[in-house]
Amino acid sequence: MIDSIYSNRKNFIVIGMTGRIGSGCTSAADFLSQNIDQHNLQAICIDEGSTDAIRKKYIINKFYKKNWVPFTKIRATDIITTFLLKYDFDDFNLILKDFYIKVNEAKKDQIEDNPLYTRLRLYGEILTLDDSFKDIYNQSHEKFKNLHNILDQTFRVESIEDIFQIITTDLIEISDQIKNVLSKESYKNYTDIFQLLGDNIRLYGDIKINESKKNANNIYEISKRINSFIKIIRGNNDAQNPKKPTLIVIDAIRNSLESMFFQERYSAFYLVAINALDEDIEDRLLQNINMTREDIKKQSKKEHQDKTLKSLENFVSQNIQDCIAKSDIFIVNNGKYNSENFLELYGQLIKYLSLIMHPGLITPSLDEKMMQVAYTAKLNSGCLSRQVGASITNESGSLKAIGWNSVAEGQTSCMLRSSNELLSKSKSVAYSSYEQSKEFRDKLSKKPFIDSKYGLNQSFCFKSIYTEGNQKEQGNQVHTRSLHAEENAFLQLAKYGSEGIKGGTLYSTASPCELCAKKAYQLGMKKIVYIDPYPGIAKQQILMSGQFPPDIILFKGAIGTAYHKLYEQIIPYKDELENLWLQQ
C-alpha cells in the first residue's frame, strides 16, 4: 500500500530547467541524466554535534542513495533542430542569409513601430553553415525531414523503439554537429540563430520569417514537439517494462508560456530556475565558451529586455526573467568557472528531487518559510503591472511584518477602478481630484476601450496615462499610486508598533529598488533575500556601501504550490513507518 501511494510521485516526473545562459541549466540536466555511480559525491555522516541542517542533508542523502533513477534529457535545441532539418543545406543557408539581411535592415532603419524590426535588433551577426558540412547535413535532412509527420501519428508499440533511438541518439549527434559549425566563428552566432529560430517557430510555426503565417496558435509549437518526445520516451519505457519510471528533464525552457503548457498538463511538472551571480555567469561564459565581453553584454540585454506584451512578437520571444519569476523551485549555482565540481548545485537537485518523490521527508528552511509568506502576500496586490510581496523578520528569524505593493489604506487599488466609471464623471472617492479634472479625463479618453464581449474591467494605470508622451517622466517612481511591498512592510512596523528589527532579514519576491534599499539599510537589515532582480543600481550604489552592508542573497527553495507539494506529507510519517514495520 505504501509503495502504491508513492508510485505516482516516483514513476513519472517532468522537470523543466530555466535560467540565463551560463547559469548552469545544462550542468543540472546532465547531472540528473547520470547514473548514481557517476556522481562521486561525498558521504554525509552525523554525530552528537550535528546541526539540524546536517541532519536534513543526511536524511536526504539516505533517500537519494536508495531511490535514484536517471532522467532522460530533452534539449530545446534538439527540438528546434527537428524544425530546421525539414530544409536541405542550401535552403537552410538561404534562410540564414535572409536573417542576416533583415537583422541589418532592422539595425539600420530603427523602425520603432514595426514589431519585427524591434525584435530583430536584439540579434547580432548571422553567419551561414560552412560548405564542408553540406554532405553530413543533407544526410541528416533525408533522415529527419519527415519526422514531424511521424510525431503527429499515433505511435505503434512495434515502431516506438526505433523512434526512441532517433530522438535520443541520432538527433543529439547531428544537433551537436550543427552547433559546432555555427559556433566556429562565435558562440553568440549559434545562440543568436537558435534563439531566432525558436522565436520564429512560436510566431510562424516554422523557422522562416513569413508574415502571412503569423498566428497566435503557433505559440505552443515547440511545447507540442517536446510533449511528443515525452510520450515517445514514456511509451518506450512502458514497452520495455511497465513498472519502469519515466523521469524527464527539459533543458531549457525560456518562454513562460511554454512552462504553462506543461504545468496545465502534468501535475508532475516542476519548473526549476537555476540562478547565479552576474559576475560568475560572466566568468563562465568567458572561460568556457569563449564569448567576448561585448557578446555577453548583448546577450544580457536580450535576457533582461523589457517585455510590454503589446504585440504578438513580445509573447513569442524568450523571457528569462518571467520564467524565473514563475518557477516552482529556485536553485543557486554561484561560483567561478573553475569552482569545485558544482557540489552545492548537485546537493540542491538531490534535495528537491527527493522531496518530489517523497514529500515531507524534511521540513522547509527558514528562508523558504519566510519567502512563502512574501509570495502569498503578493497576491493581495491590486497593481496592474507587477505583484510583489515582502516579509520581515527580526534577528532571531521571527516574522514581524508583511507587505505587498498597494495603495495607501483607504484608497482603492487600480485593479478595482474603471476608466468607464471615471469618464462618466463619477465623483467617487476612488478617484483623486486630479483624476477627475478635465485634463486627465481627456488623456484617458484617448485610450481604446475593450469590447464589452470580454467582460473585463476597464482598469487603468495612472502613471502610464499621466506620463504618456513624456519619455523623461516614464521611469519616475514618484508618479506611482502604490507603495512598494518592502516600503509597505516597513510602514506596518511604524504604524502598529513593534520591537526593533535591526539585524533582521528582508525577504522580497523582487530585489528592492533604490528607494526601498535606502530604507532597508537605515533600518539595519542584516540580510536581503530576493527572487527576481529589479532593474536599477540599488545593489551596487546603496547596499554595497558604507560600514554595515547587508548580505544580498539569491533565494533558493520551493514556493507557491510546489511548497505544499514538497513539504506536505501524503500520509503521517508515523503511520508510514508503522506500516513498513508490520511488513518486516
Side-chain angles (χ1 to χ4, degrees), residues 342-515:
F342 299 108
L343 289 180
E344 184 183 11
L345 170 66
Y346 299 157
Q348 292 172 83
L349 289 169
I350 289 168
K351 171 184 173 180
Y352 292 110
L353 178 58
S354 299
L355 287 167
I356 289 169
M357 290 182 169
H358 197 297
L361 273 177
I362 58 173
T363 54
S365 67
L366 175 62
D367 282 357
E368 285 177 301
K369 295 171 195 171
M370 294 304 120
M371 190 60 82
Q372 179 71 357
V373 171
Y375 187 85
T376 304
K378 80 173 188 174
L379 303 179
N380 293 302
S381 170
C383 181
L384 301 179
S385 58
R386 191 182 204 193
Q387 292 178 308
V388 181
S391 64
I392 299 171
T393 68
N394 63 11
E395 61 182 341
S396 300
S398 178
L399 180 64
K400 293 302 170 185
I402 62 173
W404 53 91
N405 55 322
S406 182
V407 293
E409 185 177 3
Q411 295 183 352
T412 303
S413 70
C414 296
M415 189 171 285
L416 301 180
R417 307 193 315 160
S418 167
S419 56
N420 305 61
E421 184 183 10
L422 178 57
L423 290 174
S424 67
K425 299 189 177 179
S426 168
K427 297 296 183 183
S428 170
V429 294
Y431 307 99
S432 69
S433 59
Y434 179 79
E435 289 170 323
Q436 294 180 27
S437 69
K438 184 178 184 304
E439 176 189 355
F440 185 81
R441 280 178 170 151
D442 285 346
K443 277 189 172 184
L444 183 61
S445 65
K446 294 175 183 176
K447 299 292 287 185
F449 285 87
I450 297 171
D451 192 312
S452 59
K453 73 177 181 180
Y454 294 111
L456 296 174
N457 185 42
Q458 185 81 25
S459 304
F460 65 93
C461 173
F462 170 79
K463 178 187 172 185
S464 296
I465 303 297
Y466 179 74
T467 61
E468 190 163 3
N470 189 339
Q471 194 72 28
K472 291 182 179 179
E473 290 286 0
Q474 284 178 2
N476 194 333
Q477 297 191 41
V478 170
H479 302 306
T480 58
R481 295 183 67 235
S482 290
L483 295 91
H484 285 193
E486 306 93 323
E487 185 179 24
N488 213 345
F490 290 143
L491 289 173
Q492 301 309 311
L493 295 167
K495 188 173 184 178
Y496 299 112
S498 174
E499 64 185 67
I501 57 168
K502 185 176 182 180
T505 302
L506 166 65
Y507 295 89
S508 180
T509 58
S511 60
C513 68
E514 285 89 336
L515 298 173

Side-chain angles (χ1 to χ4, degrees), residues 32-65:
L32 289 175
S33 63
Q34 292 172 348
N35 291 314
I36 194 168
D37 56 5
Q38 296 175 275
H39 290 170
N40 298 319
L41 300 179
Q42 298 172 349
I44 298 173
C45 303
I46 55 172
D47 55 31
E48 292 179 357
S50 297
T51 63
D52 285 353
I54 293 174
R55 289 181 179 276
K56 284 183 179 182
K57 287 183 179 180
Y58 175 78
I59 291 168
I60 291 294
N61 189 56
K62 196 173 184 180
F63 182 87
Y64 147 74
K65 287 182 175 179

